[in-house]
Amino acid sequence: MSRPLDETHDPSRRSWVGSANGHGDFPIQNLPFGRFRRPGSGDRARVGVAIGDQVLDVAACFERGLFERQERAGASENGRGALADACGADSLNPLMALPADQRLALRKELSQLLLADRDGRPADSRAGPDLLVPMREVELLVPAEIGDYTDFYASVFHASNVGALFRPDNPLLPNYKWVPIGYHGRASSIVVSGTPVCRPSGQTRPDPNAPPRFGPSRRLDYELELGVFVGPGNALGRPIPIGDAESHMFGVCLVNDWSARDVQAWEYQPLGPFLAKNFATSVSPWVVTLEALAPFRSPLRGRSAEDPAPLPYLDDVRDRQAGAVDVVLEVSLVSATMRERGIPPVRLTRGCATDLYWTPAQLVTHHTSNGCNLRPGDLLATGTISGPDPDSLGCLLELTRGGRDPIKLPTGEERTFLADGDEVIFRGWCERSGATPLGLGDCRGVVMLRE
């Protein structure tokens, strides 16, 4: 069930943080969560909220008693509330574990704290700039302690395009339109946006008539994905019904599931992805909550009349009507030579999350349908998001048709796959008539050759 609209989504709402008003990513209507610390300080991480070009120190707000009403409402026998404990933690996991109504109450308190009066001053006299830290002065971290990471294959366009490269006569396997496909990824190698990505080495077999060889991947790729952070989990052996799935989701981020295609081609049969995927996965540092995304809910593009209906456990009328999030997604690239010459990044792709075949709720429900337990802070990624058009393909494998059609950069350089020094930049944003646009920030990484 999608979240309702309330006063926090009001487009006329303005903040006393001047940079937030008209900010493309982080206006007062967004309020995404992350964790931060001052670089080199050695301090423990703190929970923060992005507002314009600033970070609101949420822990400091609680330390100063600015949310006393919420503190009293959720207080335990020791006099301290779970919400205060969560906002004083060094990761978002305790906040993600809270029920949706408590998180919504916190969102309303934060929005009121950041609200401007008619003169542009804080509407709440207790608020002020001393609660803020400039974003340029903080180190942003992976938002949660991610215990488990599952990567899905939820774009039928991506699955069909990749299948056609390797199985021209049978591009889409018969199970695809019946069951959400996924695999268990590696949580330990998930890194925050801006972390350099070392080119992986692996075993490949470019010549089918020769033995395999070991060395750096020559076909390194990106994958444009949306990530969903799990909120309250479920007990082992207790599946999450499709109608309840959204109450177990906290918010979304951008995900780059870096992939070594040559390693993948050699190792993936019979058990699927392994070393081709587990060397690095980049995530954006800010988690945009489902509450903030309420104005941008949408149905998926839709199944064709020939497609089978989802099995009953994956079908819900509300999910059909608004189970998707209308997020525009964009990939840009800048090479080392482009940076040296001051040439801005070139856009490679622009797609949309509504082009997925399965909704986030369906992914959550299917994941737990056998009794698997999800935990707060677990990350579920959609898999590569591609659309039906040539400029909406979410990875180089598709864009270059397996390396057969190189992309030309403004410098005259060509790319079939990523070169050392290339920086890949993902961006995501939502916009709709009658709503304030908001963004997911960016997710970026530079490819480096391992020393």
Side-chain angles (χ1 to χ4, degrees):
M1 180 177 180
S2 59
R3 308 296 199 267
L5 299 182
D6 57 37
E7 68 274 14
T8 65
H9 304 103
D10 185 351
S12 67
R13 211 166 178 85
R14 294 291 182 268
S15 175
W16 53 266
V17 182
S19 63
N21 302 319
H23 197 277
D25 283 332
F26 307 131
I28 193 173
Q29 290 80 5
N30 191 346
L31 305 181
F33 286 92
R35 61 184 188 132
F36 72 97
R37 65 181 171 218
R38 292 185 183 274
S41 66
D43 294 343
R44 66 195 294 267
R46 297 172 72 86
V47 172
V49 163
I51 180 74
D53 61 7
Q54 304 289 309
V55 178
L56 177 72
D57 189 335
V58 176
C61 296
F62 269 96
E63 289 163 2
R64 298 184 192 185
L66 299 185
F67 300 146
E68 292 178 359
R69 182 176 60 178
Q70 295 305 322
E71 178 95 4
R72 289 195 301 271
S76 60
E77 292 182 0
N78 64 11
R80 185 172 174 85
L83 192 57
D85 288 337
C87 290
D90 60 2
S91 79
L92 292 186
N93 297 62
L95 187 62
M96 291 172 171
L98 295 177
D101 59 343
Q102 289 191 42
R103 300 198 310 265
L104 178 59
L106 176 60
R107 173 179 167 82
K108 290 182 177 180
E109 293 277 11
L110 290 167
S111 183
Q112 187 63 32
L113 184 68
L114 292 164
L115 182 67
D117 63 16
R118 292 182 179 180
D119 298 320
R121 295 189 293 264
D124 186 328
S125 60
R126 302 171 300 168
D130 57 330
L131 295 172
L132 304 174
V133 185
M135 202 173 294
R136 66 178 182 275
E137 296 180 10
V138 303
E139 177 188 3
L140 297 173
L141 307 169
V142 174
E145 298 294 336
I146 301 172
D148 279 298
Y149 163 49
T150 300
D151 197 20
F152 283 91
Y153 198 46
S155 167
V156 70
F157 298 109
H158 174 66
S160 299
N161 292 335
V162 171
L165 290 173
F166 300 104
R167 301 181 304 275
D169 298 329
N170 185 30
L172 200 64
L173 295 176
N175 66 344
Y176 186 86
K177 294 185 176 181
W178 291 98
V179 57
I181 305 297
Y183 73 94
H184 190 253
R186 183 72 184 176
S188 65
S189 54
I190 294 176
V191 297
V192 73
S193 170
T195 304
V197 173
C198 291
R199 180 176 295 275
S201 291
Q203 194 177 127
T204 63
R205 194 177 186 185
D207 183 351
N209 299 313
R213 66 189 186 192
F214 183 86
S217 170
R218 298 181 180 181
R219 293 165 70 88
L220 184 60
D221 201 356
Y222 61 81
E223 292 196 7
L224 174 64
E225 307 191 16
L226 199 64
V228 177
F229 275 101
V230 174
N234 61 302
L236 183 66
R238 298 292 298 271
I240 297 174
I242 184 73
D244 296 338
E246 290 213 359
S247 66
H248 294 267
M249 290 187 273
F250 178 78
V252 305
C253 68
L254 298 170
V255 174
N256 185 347
D257 182 38
W258 304 89
S259 299
R261 299 300 190 186
D262 43 0
V263 177
Q264 183 180 9
W266 175 234
E267 75 172 7
Y268 85 102
Q269 297 186 59
L271 293 181
F274 182 34
L275 298 184
K277 298 277 192 174
N278 69 2
F279 59 93
T281 301
S282 300
V283 297
S284 53
W286 298 107
V287 185
V288 178
T289 65
L290 258 61
E291 290 78 21
L293 294 168
F296 308 101
R297 302 307 299 269
S298 169
L300 290 178
R301 174 180 289 270
R303 298 171 176 237
S304 69
E306 296 77 25
D307 287 354
L311 294 180
Y313 81 101
L314 290 173
D315 192 28
D316 177 80
V317 63
R318 292 169 299 183
D319 192 57
R320 275 184 263 134
Q321 292 170 347
V325 182
D326 192 359
V327 182
V328 179
L329 299 161
E330 188 173 271
V331 179
S332 299
L333 183 144
V334 57
S335 70
T337 301
M338 290 170 66
R339 279 196 302 276
E340 291 169 1
R341 298 183 184 178
I343 299 174
V346 60
R347 192 185 83 194
L348 301 182
T349 293
R350 179 176 288 176
C352 187
T354 57
D355 285 331
L356 290 169
Y357 196 75
W358 300 100
T359 67
Q362 289 173 319
L363 301 184
V364 168
T365 292
H366 182 67
H367 201 310
T368 66
S369 61
N370 67 344
C372 173
N373 56 319
L374 298 178
R375 295 174 293 184
D378 284 356
L379 180 65
L380 311 184
T382 59
T384 304
I385 299 176
S386 294
D389 305 316
D391 62 351
S392 63
L393 305 178
C395 64
L396 287 173
L397 181 67
E398 293 175 84
L399 280 171
T400 68
R401 296 181 64 248
R404 292 191 286 272
D405 298 332
I407 293 169
K408 183 163 288 189
L409 301 180
T411 54
E413 301 170 275
E414 291 188 342
R415 291 288 184 273
T416 52
F417 293 95
L418 296 172
D420 296 337
D422 285 350
E423 181 176 25
V424 179
I425 305 162
F426 291 179
R427 289 194 57 78
W429 65 91
C430 303
E431 51 189 359
R432 180 168 290 181
S433 177
T436 300
L438 56 83
L440 279 65
D442 61 29
C443 180
R444 58 180 67 213
V446 177
V447 177
M448 298 178 60
L449 184 65
R450 191 183 308 277
E451 295 181 0

